[in-house]
Amino acid sequence: MTEQPPAPASGAIETVFRIESPRIIAGVARIVRDVGIAEELAQDALVAALEQWPREGVPDNPGAWLMTTAKRRAIDLVRREERYARKLAEIGRDLDTAIPFEEPSDPDDIDDDLLRLVFTACHPVLSAEARIALTLRLLGGLTTPEIARAYLAPEATIAQRIVRAKRKLATQGVAFEVPYGPEREARLGSVLEVIYLIFNEGYAATEGEDWLRPALCEDALRLARVLAELMPKEPEVHGLAALLELQTSRAAARTGPSGEPVLLKDQNRRRWNRMLIRRGFAALGRSNAVTTTGPGPYALQAAIAACHAQAYAYEDTDWGQIATLYGLLAARSPSPVVELNRAVAISMAEGPEPALALIDTLTAEPALRDYHLLPSVRGDLLARLGRTAEARAEFERAAELARNARERAVLTGAGGGTRLICPRSP
């Protein structure tokens, strides 16, 4: 122990715990094979720290202290379970080296507890909402009230969602492991989707008073960076990281002094974060370097974001290249929202008429029936063609459908405007 002046504030201890908690929960979950119990044991370690550190001083390595304390309690718990005791007696191993089942060997095995926790929290047996809440809780270190505030949901709803998710993982017998072979690729998609959806909600909030929720973007970007370090051979992991780096680079320019949205064409590009842009290009390069099948959906979206980052002025944007990339994305990952974005790019590259023809084919899409950006984009194209009355009707409909107050104000006050939105599943 290092010598310390008087006891540190509990807030400082809790900050250390928030940073370390994902790895602590992951390490303990490998012992107890239950993320709910693992989280409880990690919280027990925090309580122990709050009791001991003010009295005895902060350890040289606080994270290791918390991990050791939590693991010891996990081992004590397992030893009290007769089922585990019998198993340990049969295999004749010490508990610390036999926890608790041997993983199958695989040439691509990734022996990392944190990665196991990622795949467990994002397991497809859970709904998308449950995966998001559990990931933010276990890996983002957010409290239930923080998640509730971020998603404008009652705390009780989020709490129930998390409890049910942990219970379902336990009752379904979901293994605490990184999947192997073809299953890994299938499951990885669920992991990437969760991080992507968390980021999207922060980047353009679906409802509420604020258009941006930077904390959610930061959490998603941090998770993407961690995943890229843990899975360096996965091109789409780097593709997602590149996309989030590049999108985050614009954050400071996307809102005005009062929090109002600033559309892409009006943004001060000198406020774009060049360091994040460089990180994004580096991640995109890594994705291209390790792929054997060409760019995937996230890498293609990152390439689109890179086109914007390369343009020092809105007028310099290579809209033809962006339209081509959206065409590739539509072929790789068909979606009405991707087609909507492609129409925007076509309108900038070729004019509003061909884009409007594409948009009109999307009006019958059930998935876009209540999607406010469809009438918003259509209204912009009509306005550019001089069809003012029709455009006004489209903007009014878009404003009615918009659930975010800031976006609704743009649609009602400024008459909308062309925007290139980050594709998301409607």
Side-chain angles (χ1 to χ4, degrees):
M1 294 286 194
T2 56
E3 292 192 13
Q4 297 286 334
S10 61
I13 300 174
E14 290 171 359
T15 297
V16 172
F17 179 77
R18 175 174 293 213
I19 295 170
E20 299 291 340
S21 63
R23 289 195 179 276
I24 296 169
I25 294 169
V28 173
R30 191 176 185 189
I31 299 173
V32 299
R33 302 282 165 158
D34 186 307
V35 294
I37 294 174
E39 187 184 13
E40 291 174 7
L41 293 170
Q43 290 288 338
D44 287 346
L46 170 62
V47 172
L50 289 169
E51 292 174 349
Q52 295 182 36
W53 292 5
R55 184 175 65 249
E56 301 174 8
V58 177
D60 291 326
N61 190 332
W65 189 98
L66 289 164
M67 178 72 84
T68 299
T69 301
K71 281 190 171 181
R72 283 175 178 166
R73 294 181 183 223
I75 289 169
D76 289 342
L77 177 65
V78 171
R79 281 178 172 150
R80 288 197 296 268
E81 296 288 336
E82 290 186 0
R83 181 165 60 88
Y84 285 99
R86 287 198 301 271
K87 178 67 177 178
L88 292 173
E90 290 169 7
I91 63 177
R93 294 183 185 178
D94 181 80
L95 179 63
D96 297 288
T97 59
I99 301 169
F101 306 113
E102 185 178 352
E103 300 283 355
S105 62
D106 184 276
D108 295 321
D109 184 25
I110 304 172
D111 187 17
D112 189 285
D113 289 336
L114 187 58
L115 193 59
R116 289 184 174 90
L117 184 60
V118 170
F119 274 93
T120 302
C122 299
H123 199 284
V125 300
L126 303 176
S127 68
E129 293 82 3
R131 279 180 270 156
I132 288 169
L134 194 60
T135 298
L136 287 173
R137 177 63 178 265
L138 299 181
L139 292 150
L142 274 66
T143 64
T144 299
E146 287 171 334
I147 299 170
R149 283 196 299 272
Y151 280 88
L152 305 179
E155 285 185 34
T157 299
I158 297 298
Q160 289 176 357
R161 193 172 292 168
I162 292 170
V163 168
R164 288 170 181 167
K166 291 187 286 190
R167 185 184 301 131
K168 188 165 189 177
L169 291 175
T171 57
Q172 295 275 333
V174 172
F176 185 72
E177 64 182 9
V178 177
Y180 299 88
E183 186 185 356
R184 176 180 298 173
E185 182 177 353
R187 290 268 302 279
L188 180 59
S190 175
V191 173
L192 298 179
E193 180 190 30
V194 166
I195 297 174
Y196 182 61
L197 291 174
I198 291 170
F199 181 86
N200 267 345
E201 185 59 29
Y203 192 74
T206 53
E207 54 188 303
E209 296 297 322
D210 297 319
W211 196 41
L212 297 182
R213 295 176 190 160
L216 284 178
C217 291
E218 291 167 7
D219 282 319
L221 180 55
R222 180 169 56 83
L223 290 171
R225 288 172 176 171
V226 169
L227 199 61
E229 291 178 4
L230 296 174
M231 305 187 77
K233 297 179 182 179
E234 293 289 347
E236 276 290 81
V237 171
H238 294 298
L240 179 62
L243 174 62
L244 303 196
E245 298 277 9
L246 291 167
Q247 297 290 70
T248 303
S249 72
R250 306 180 204 161
R254 293 187 69 240
T255 54
S258 301
E260 70 277 10
V262 178
L263 302 184
L264 183 64
K265 63 186 176 65
D266 301 320
Q267 289 174 17
N268 180 355
R269 299 191 176 210
R270 287 175 293 183
R271 300 189 67 197
W272 288 8
N273 189 314
R274 307 313 298 184
M275 182 193 72
L276 291 178
I277 290 173
R278 288 193 294 272
R279 289 183 64 104
F281 276 104
L284 185 56
R286 286 190 289 272
S287 177
N288 292 333
V290 298
T291 186
T292 58
T293 59
Y298 293 113
L300 285 168
Q301 291 180 61
I304 292 166
C307 286
H308 291 292
Q310 286 174 321
Y312 284 94
Y314 184 76
E315 295 72 23
D316 299 331
T317 307
D318 189 347
W319 291 106
Q321 176 65 12
I322 290 173
T324 298
L325 288 168
Y326 270 119
L328 295 172
L329 180 60
R332 189 73 186 259
S333 183
S335 161
V337 176
V338 172
E339 287 298 305
L340 178 59
N341 280 281
R342 188 165 74 90
V344 173
I346 289 172
S347 79
M348 301 304 296
E350 304 174 23
E353 280 196 44
L356 184 60
L358 176 56
I359 289 289
D360 286 343
T361 68
L362 298 176
T363 56
E365 284 285 348
L368 297 181
R369 183 178 296 113
D370 297 321
Y371 193 50
H372 68 289
L373 290 176
L374 176 60
S376 171
V377 172
R378 192 169 189 274
D380 178 75
L381 297 177
L382 290 168
R384 287 164 61 186
L385 289 168
R387 296 160 62 176
T388 309
E390 294 173 82
R392 186 179 298 111
E394 291 290 343
F395 287 132
E396 289 173 356
R397 172 167 166 73
E400 290 173 2
L401 292 173
R403 291 184 290 164
N404 183 277
R406 295 289 187 176
E407 222 167 6
R408 192 182 306 117
V410 170
L411 292 165
T412 56
T418 299
R419 64 193 64 205
L420 196 70
I421 53 176
C422 180
R424 69 170 76 189
S425 299

Coordinates of all heavy atoms in Angstrom, one line a residue, residues 290-365:
V290 N -7.1 -6.0 -43.9 CA -7.4 -7.4 -43.5 C -8.5 -8.1 -44.1 O -8.8 -9.3 -43.9 CB -7.6 -7.4 -41.9 CG1 -6.3 -6.9 -41.2 CG2 -8.8 -6.6 -41.5
T291 N -9.3 -7.3 -45.0 CA -10.4 -8.0 -45.6 C -10.0 -8.9 -46.8 O -9.0 -8.6 -47.4 CB -11.4 -6.9 -46.1 OG1 -12.6 -7.6 -46.6 CG2 -10.8 -6.1 -47.3
T292 N -10.8 -9.9 -46.9 CA -10.5 -10.8 -48.1 C -11.7 -10.9 -49.0 O -11.6 -11.5 -50.1 CB -10.2 -12.3 -47.6 OG1 -11.3 -12.7 -46.8 CG2 -8.9 -12.3 -46.7
T293 N -12.8 -10.2 -48.7 CA -14.0 -10.3 -49.5 C -14.5 -8.9 -49.9 O -15.6 -8.7 -50.3 CB -15.1 -11.0 -48.7 OG1 -15.3 -10.3 -47.5 CG2 -14.7 -12.4 -48.4
G294 N -13.6 -7.9 -49.7 CA -14.1 -6.5 -50.1 C -14.7 -5.9 -48.9 O -15.0 -6.5 -47.9
P295 N -15.0 -4.5 -49.0 CA -15.5 -3.8 -47.8 C -16.9 -4.2 -47.4 O -17.7 -4.5 -48.3 CB -15.5 -2.3 -48.3 CG -15.5 -2.4 -49.8 CD -14.7 -3.7 -50.1
G296 N -17.1 -4.4 -46.1 CA -18.5 -4.7 -45.6 C -19.3 -3.4 -45.4 O -18.8 -2.3 -45.7
P297 N -20.5 -3.6 -44.9 CA -21.4 -2.4 -44.7 C -20.8 -1.3 -43.9 O -20.9 -0.1 -44.2 CB -22.6 -3.0 -44.1 CG -22.6 -4.5 -44.5 CD -21.2 -4.8 -44.6
Y298 N -20.1 -1.6 -42.8 CA -19.6 -0.6 -41.9 C -18.4 0.1 -42.6 O -18.2 1.3 -42.5 CB -19.2 -1.1 -40.5 CG -20.4 -1.6 -39.7 CD1 -20.6 -2.9 -39.4 CD2 -21.3 -0.7 -39.3 CE1 -21.7 -3.4 -38.7 CE2 -22.4 -1.1 -38.5 CZ -22.6 -2.4 -38.2 OH -23.7 -2.8 -37.5
A299 N -17.6 -0.7 -43.3 CA -16.4 -0.1 -44.0 C -16.9 0.8 -45.1 O -16.3 1.9 -45.4 CB -15.5 -1.2 -44.5
L300 N -18.0 0.4 -45.8 CA -18.5 1.3 -46.8 C -19.1 2.6 -46.3 O -18.9 3.6 -46.9 CB -19.6 0.5 -47.6 CG -19.1 -0.6 -48.6 CD1 -20.3 -1.5 -49.0 CD2 -18.4 0.0 -49.8
Q301 N -19.8 2.5 -45.2 CA -20.3 3.7 -44.5 C -19.1 4.6 -44.1 O -19.2 5.8 -44.2 CB -21.1 3.4 -43.3 CG -22.5 2.7 -43.7 CD -23.3 2.4 -42.5 OE1 -23.7 3.3 -41.8 NE2 -23.6 1.1 -42.3
A302 N -18.0 4.0 -43.6 CA -16.8 4.7 -43.2 C -16.2 5.4 -44.4 O -15.8 6.5 -44.4 CB -15.8 3.8 -42.5
A303 N -16.2 4.7 -45.6 CA -15.7 5.3 -46.8 C -16.5 6.5 -47.2 O -16.0 7.5 -47.7 CB -15.6 4.3 -47.9
I304 N -17.8 6.4 -47.0 CA -18.7 7.6 -47.3 C -18.3 8.8 -46.4 O -18.2 9.9 -46.9 CB -20.2 7.2 -47.2 CG1 -20.5 6.2 -48.3 CG2 -21.1 8.4 -47.2 CD1 -21.9 5.5 -48.0
A305 N -18.2 8.5 -45.1 CA -17.8 9.5 -44.2 C -16.4 10.1 -44.5 O -16.2 11.3 -44.3 CB -17.8 8.9 -42.7
A306 N -15.6 9.2 -45.0 CA -14.2 9.7 -45.4 C -14.3 10.7 -46.6 O -13.5 11.6 -46.7 CB -13.3 8.5 -45.8
C307 N -15.2 10.5 -47.5 CA -15.4 11.4 -48.6 C -15.8 12.8 -48.1 O -15.3 13.8 -48.6 CB -16.5 10.9 -49.5 SG -16.1 9.5 -50.6
H308 N -16.6 12.9 -47.1 CA -16.9 14.2 -46.5 C -15.7 14.8 -45.8 O -15.5 16.0 -45.8 CB -18.1 14.0 -45.5 CG -19.4 13.7 -46.1 ND1 -20.1 14.6 -46.9 CD2 -20.1 12.6 -46.1 CE1 -21.2 14.0 -47.4 NE2 -21.2 12.8 -46.9
A309 N -15.0 13.9 -45.0 CA -13.8 14.4 -44.3 C -12.7 15.0 -45.2 O -12.0 15.9 -44.8 CB -13.3 13.3 -43.4
Q310 N -12.7 14.4 -46.4 CA -11.6 14.9 -47.4 C -12.0 16.2 -48.0 O -11.1 16.9 -48.5 CB -11.5 13.9 -48.5 CG -10.8 12.6 -48.1 CD -10.7 11.6 -49.2 OE1 -11.7 11.4 -49.9 NE2 -9.6 10.9 -49.3
A311 N -13.2 16.6 -47.9 CA -13.7 17.9 -48.6 C -13.5 19.0 -47.6 O -14.2 19.0 -46.5 CB -15.1 17.8 -49.0
Y312 N -12.7 20.0 -47.9 CA -12.5 21.1 -46.9 C -13.6 22.1 -47.0 O -13.7 23.0 -46.2 CB -11.1 21.8 -47.2 CG -10.0 20.9 -46.7 CD1 -9.3 20.0 -47.5 CD2 -9.6 21.1 -45.3 CE1 -8.2 19.3 -47.0 CE2 -8.5 20.3 -44.8 CZ -7.9 19.4 -45.6 OH -6.8 18.7 -45.1
A313 N -14.4 22.0 -48.1 CA -15.6 22.9 -48.2 C -16.7 22.0 -48.7 O -16.5 21.0 -49.4 CB -15.3 24.0 -49.1
Y314 N -18.0 22.3 -48.4 CA -19.1 21.6 -48.8 C -19.1 21.4 -50.4 O -19.5 20.3 -50.9 CB -20.4 22.2 -48.4 CG -21.7 21.5 -48.7 CD1 -22.0 20.3 -47.9 CD2 -22.5 21.9 -49.7 CE1 -23.2 19.7 -48.2 CE2 -23.7 21.2 -50.0 CZ -24.0 20.1 -49.2 OH -25.2 19.4 -49.5
E315 N -18.7 22.5 -51.1 CA -18.8 22.5 -52.5 C -17.7 21.5 -53.1 O -17.8 21.1 -54.3 CB -18.5 23.9 -53.1 CG -19.6 24.9 -52.7 CD -19.6 25.3 -51.2 OE1 -18.5 25.2 -50.6 OE2 -20.6 25.8 -50.8
D316 N -16.8 21.1 -52.3 CA -15.7 20.2 -52.8 C -16.1 18.7 -52.7 O -15.3 17.9 -53.1 CB -14.4 20.5 -52.1 CG -13.9 21.9 -52.2 OD1 -14.2 22.5 -53.3 OD2 -13.2 22.4 -51.3
T317 N -17.2 18.5 -52.1 CA -17.6 17.1 -51.8 C -17.8 16.3 -53.1 O -18.4 16.8 -54.1 CB -19.0 17.0 -51.0 OG1 -18.9 17.8 -49.9 CG2 -19.3 15.6 -50.6
D318 N -17.2 15.1 -53.1 CA -17.3 14.2 -54.3 C -18.6 13.4 -54.2 O -18.6 12.3 -53.8 CB -16.1 13.3 -54.4 CG -16.1 12.5 -55.7 OD1 -17.1 12.5 -56.4 OD2 -15.0 11.9 -56.0
W319 N -19.7 14.1 -54.6 CA -21.0 13.4 -54.5 C -21.2 12.2 -55.4 O -21.9 11.3 -55.1 CB -22.1 14.4 -54.7 CG -22.3 15.5 -53.7 CD1 -21.9 16.8 -53.7 CD2 -22.8 15.2 -52.3 NE1 -22.1 17.4 -52.5 CE2 -22.7 16.5 -51.7 CE3 -23.3 14.2 -51.7 CZ2 -23.1 16.6 -50.3 CZ3 -23.7 14.3 -50.4 CH2 -23.6 15.5 -49.7
G320 N -20.5 12.3 -56.5 CA -20.6 11.1 -57.4 C -20.0 9.9 -56.8 O -20.6 8.8 -56.9
Q321 N -18.8 10.0 -56.1 CA -18.2 8.9 -55.4 C -19.1 8.4 -54.3 O -19.3 7.2 -54.0 CB -16.9 9.3 -54.9 CG -16.1 8.3 -54.0 CD -15.8 7.0 -54.8 OE1 -15.8 7.0 -56.1 NE2 -15.4 6.0 -54.1
I322 N -19.7 9.4 -53.6 CA -20.6 9.0 -52.5 C -21.8 8.2 -53.0 O -22.2 7.2 -52.4 CB -21.1 10.3 -51.7 CG1 -19.9 10.8 -50.9 CG2 -22.2 9.9 -50.7 CD1 -20.2 12.2 -50.3
A323 N -22.4 8.7 -54.1 CA -23.5 7.9 -54.7 C -23.1 6.5 -55.1 O -23.9 5.5 -54.9 CB -24.1 8.7 -55.9
T324 N -21.9 6.4 -55.6 CA -21.4 5.1 -56.0 C -21.2 4.2 -54.8 O -21.6 3.0 -54.8 CB -20.0 5.2 -56.7 OG1 -20.2 5.9 -57.9 CG2 -19.5 3.8 -57.1
L325 N -20.7 4.7 -53.7 CA -20.5 4.0 -52.5 C -21.8 3.5 -51.9 O -22.0 2.4 -51.4 CB -19.7 4.8 -51.5 CG -18.2 5.0 -51.8 CD1 -17.6 6.0 -50.9 CD2 -17.5 3.6 -51.6
Y326 N -22.8 4.4 -52.0 CA -24.2 4.0 -51.5 C -24.8 2.9 -52.3 O -25.5 2.1 -51.8 CB -25.1 5.2 -51.4 CG -25.1 6.0 -50.1 CD1 -24.7 7.3 -50.1 CD2 -25.4 5.3 -48.9 CE1 -24.7 8.0 -48.8 CE2 -25.4 6.0 -47.7 CZ -25.0 7.3 -47.7 OH -25.0 8.0 -46.5
G327 N -24.5 2.9 -53.6 CA -24.9 1.8 -54.5 C -24.3 0.5 -54.1 O -25.0 -0.5 -54.0
L328 N -23.0 0.5 -53.7 CA -22.3 -0.7 -53.2 C -22.9 -1.1 -51.9 O -23.1 -2.3 -51.7 CB -20.8 -0.4 -53.1 CG -20.0 -0.1 -54.4 CD1 -18.6 0.3 -54.1 CD2 -20.0 -1.4 -55.3
L329 N -23.2 -0.1 -51.0 CA -23.8 -0.4 -49.7 C -25.2 -1.1 -49.9 O -25.5 -2.0 -49.2 CB -23.9 0.8 -48.9 CG -24.4 0.7 -47.5 CD1 -23.6 -0.3 -46.7 CD2 -24.5 2.0 -46.8
A330 N -25.9 -0.5 -50.9 CA -27.3 -1.1 -51.1 C -27.2 -2.5 -51.6 O -28.1 -3.3 -51.3 CB -28.0 -0.2 -52.1
A331 N -26.2 -2.8 -52.4 CA -26.0 -4.2 -52.9 C -25.6 -5.1 -51.8 O -26.0 -6.3 -51.7 CB -25.0 -4.2 -54.1
R332 N -24.7 -4.6 -50.9 CA -24.2 -5.4 -49.8 C -25.1 -5.6 -48.7 O -25.2 -6.6 -48.0 CB -22.8 -4.8 -49.3 CG -22.0 -5.7 -48.4 CD -21.4 -6.8 -49.1 NE -20.7 -7.7 -48.2 CZ -19.4 -7.7 -48.0 NH1 -18.6 -6.9 -48.6 NH2 -18.9 -8.6 -47.1
S333 N -25.8 -4.5 -48.4 CA -26.8 -4.5 -47.2 C -28.0 -3.8 -47.6 O -28.2 -2.6 -47.2 CB -26.1 -3.9 -46.0 OG -26.9 -4.0 -44.9
P334 N -28.9 -4.4 -48.3 CA -30.1 -3.6 -48.8 C -30.9 -3.1 -47.7 O -31.2 -3.7 -46.7 CB -30.9 -4.7 -49.6 CG -29.9 -5.8 -49.9 CD -28.9 -5.8 -48.8
S335 N -31.4 -1.8 -47.9 CA -32.2 -1.1 -46.9 C -32.8 0.1 -47.5 O -32.2 0.8 -48.2 CB -31.3 -0.7 -45.7 OG -31.9 0.3 -44.9
P336 N -34.1 0.3 -47.2 CA -34.7 1.5 -47.7 C -34.0 2.8 -47.2 O -34.0 3.8 -48.0 CB -36.2 1.5 -47.1 CG -36.4 0.0 -46.8 CD -35.0 -0.5 -46.4
V337 N -33.4 2.8 -46.0 CA -32.8 4.0 -45.5 C -31.5 4.2 -46.3 O -31.1 5.4 -46.6 CB -32.4 3.8 -44.0 CG1 -31.6 5.0 -43.5 CG2 -33.7 3.7 -43.2
V338 N -30.8 3.2 -46.7 CA -29.6 3.3 -47.6 C -30.1 3.9 -48.9 O -29.4 4.8 -49.5 CB -28.9 2.0 -47.8 CG1 -27.8 2.1 -48.8 CG2 -28.3 1.5 -46.5
E339 N -31.2 3.5 -49.5 CA -31.7 4.0 -50.7 C -32.0 5.5 -50.6 O -31.8 6.3 -51.5 CB -32.9 3.2 -51.2 CG -32.5 1.8 -51.8 CD -31.7 1.9 -53.0 OE1 -32.0 2.6 -54.0 OE2 -30.6 1.3 -53.0
L340 N -32.6 5.9 -49.4 CA -32.9 7.3 -49.2 C -31.6 8.1 -49.2 O -31.6 9.2 -49.8 CB -33.6 7.4 -47.8 CG -34.0 8.8 -47.3 CD1 -34.9 9.5 -48.3 CD2 -34.6 8.7 -45.9
N341 N -30.6 7.6 -48.5 CA -29.3 8.3 -48.5 C -28.7 8.4 -49.9 O -28.1 9.4 -50.3 CB -28.3 7.6 -47.6 CG -28.6 8.0 -46.2 OD1 -28.2 9.1 -45.7 ND2 -29.2 7.1 -45.4
R342 N -28.9 7.3 -50.7 CA -28.3 7.3 -52.1 C -29.1 8.4 -52.9 O -28.4 9.0 -53.8 CB -28.5 5.9 -52.7 CG -27.8 5.8 -54.1 CD -27.7 4.3 -54.4 NE -29.0 3.7 -54.9 CZ -29.4 3.7 -56.1 NH1 -28.7 4.3 -57.1 NH2 -30.6 3.1 -56.4
A343 N -30.4 8.5 -52.7 CA -31.1 9.5 -53.4 C -30.6 10.9 -53.1 O -30.5 11.8 -54.0 CB -32.6 9.4 -53.0
V344 N -30.2 11.2 -51.8 CA -29.7 12.5 -51.5 C -28.4 12.7 -52.3 O -28.1 13.8 -52.8 CB -29.4 12.6 -50.0 CG1 -28.7 13.9 -49.6 CG2 -30.7 12.5 -49.2
A345 N -27.5 11.7 -52.3 CA -26.2 11.8 -53.0 C -26.4 12.0 -54.5 O -25.8 12.9 -55.1 CB -25.4 10.6 -52.7
I346 N -27.4 11.3 -55.1 CA -27.7 11.5 -56.5 C -28.2 12.9 -56.8 O -27.9 13.5 -57.8 CB -28.7 10.4 -56.9 CG1 -28.1 9.0 -57.0 CG2 -29.3 10.7 -58.3 CD1 -29.1 7.9 -57.2
S347 N -29.0 13.4 -55.9 CA -29.5 14.8 -56.1 C -28.4 15.8 -56.1 O -28.5 16.8 -56.8 CB -30.5 15.1 -55.0 OG -29.9 15.5 -53.8
M348 N -27.4 15.5 -55.3 CA -26.2 16.5 -55.3 C -25.3 16.3 -56.5 O -24.7 17.2 -57.0 CB -25.5 16.3 -54.0 CG -26.3 16.6 -52.8 SD -27.1 18.2 -52.7 CE -25.7 19.3 -52.7
A349 N -25.2 15.0 -57.0 CA -24.3 14.7 -58.1 C -25.0 15.0 -59.5 O -24.3 15.5 -60.4 CB -23.9 13.3 -58.0
E350 N -26.3 14.7 -59.6 CA -27.0 14.7 -60.9 C -28.2 15.7 -61.0 O -28.7 15.9 -62.0 CB -27.4 13.3 -61.3 CG -26.3 12.3 -61.3 CD -26.9 10.9 -61.5 OE1 -28.0 10.7 -62.1 OE2 -26.2 9.9 -61.1
G351 N -28.6 16.2 -59.8 CA -29.8 17.0 -59.8 C -31.0 16.4 -59.1 O -31.0 15.2 -58.9
P352 N -32.0 17.2 -58.8 CA -33.1 16.7 -58.0 C -34.0 15.8 -58.7 O -34.7 14.9 -58.1 CB -33.8 18.0 -57.6 CG -33.4 19.0 -58.6 CD -32.1 18.7 -59.0
E353 N -34.2 15.9 -60.1 CA -35.1 15.0 -60.8 C -34.9 13.5 -60.7 O -35.8 12.8 -60.3 CB -35.2 15.5 -62.2 CG -36.1 16.7 -62.5 CD -36.4 16.9 -63.9 OE1 -36.8 15.9 -64.6 OE2 -36.3 18.1 -64.4
P354 N -33.7 13.0 -61.0 CA -33.5 11.6 -60.9 C -33.6 11.1 -59.4 O -34.0 10.0 -59.1 CB -32.1 11.4 -61.4 CG -31.4 12.7 -61.4 CD -32.5 13.7 -61.6
A355 N -33.2 12.0 -58.5 CA -33.3 11.6 -57.1 C -34.8 11.5 -56.7 O -35.2 10.6 -55.9 CB -32.6 12.7 -56.2
L356 N -35.6 12.4 -57.1 CA -37.0 12.4 -56.8 C -37.7 11.1 -57.3 O -38.5 10.5 -56.7 CB -37.7 13.6 -57.3 CG -39.2 13.8 -57.0 CD1 -39.4 13.8 -55.4 CD2 -39.8 15.0 -57.6
A357 N -37.2 10.7 -58.5 CA -37.8 9.5 -59.1 C -37.5 8.3 -58.2 O -38.3 7.4 -57.9 CB -37.2 9.2 -60.5
L358 N -36.3 8.3 -57.6 CA -35.9 7.2 -56.7 C -36.7 7.3 -55.4 O -37.2 6.3 -54.8 CB -34.4 7.2 -56.4 CG -33.9 6.2 -55.4 CD1 -34.2 4.8 -55.7 CD2 -32.4 6.4 -55.2
I359 N -36.8 8.5 -54.9 CA -37.6 8.7 -53.6 C -39.0 8.3 -53.8 O -39.6 7.7 -52.9 CB -37.5 10.2 -53.2 CG1 -36.1 10.6 -52.8 CG2 -38.6 10.6 -52.2 CD1 -35.8 10.1 -51.4
D360 N -39.6 8.6 -54.9 CA -41.0 8.2 -55.1 C -41.2 6.7 -55.1 O -42.3 6.2 -54.8 CB -41.5 8.8 -56.5 CG -41.8 10.3 -56.4 OD1 -41.8 10.8 -55.2 OD2 -41.9 10.9 -57.4
T361 N -40.2 5.9 -55.4 CA -40.3 4.5 -55.3 C -40.2 4.0 -53.9 O -40.6 2.9 -53.6 CB -39.2 3.8 -56.1 OG1 -37.9 4.0 -55.5 CG2 -39.1 4.2 -57.5
L362 N -39.8 4.9 -53.0 CA -39.6 4.5 -51.6 C -40.9 4.8 -50.7 O -41.0 4.4 -49.6 CB -38.4 5.2 -51.0 CG -37.1 4.9 -51.6 CD1 -36.0 5.7 -50.9 CD2 -36.7 3.4 -51.4
T363 N -41.8 5.7 -51.3 CA -42.9 6.1 -50.5 C -43.8 5.0 -50.1 O -44.6 5.1 -49.1 CB -43.7 7.2 -51.3 OG1 -44.1 6.6 -52.5 CG2 -42.9 8.4 -51.5
A364 N -43.8 3.9 -50.8 CA -44.7 2.7 -50.5 C -44.0 1.7 -49.6 O -44.6 0.7 -49.2 CB -45.1 2.0 -51.8
E365 N -42.7 2.0 -49.2 CA -42.0 1.1 -48.3 C -42.6 1.1 -46.9 O -42.7 2.2 -46.2 CB -40.5 1.5 -48.2 CG -39.7 1.1 -49.4 CD -39.4 -0.4 -49.4 OE1 -39.6 -1.0 -48.4 OE2 -38.9 -0.8 -50.4

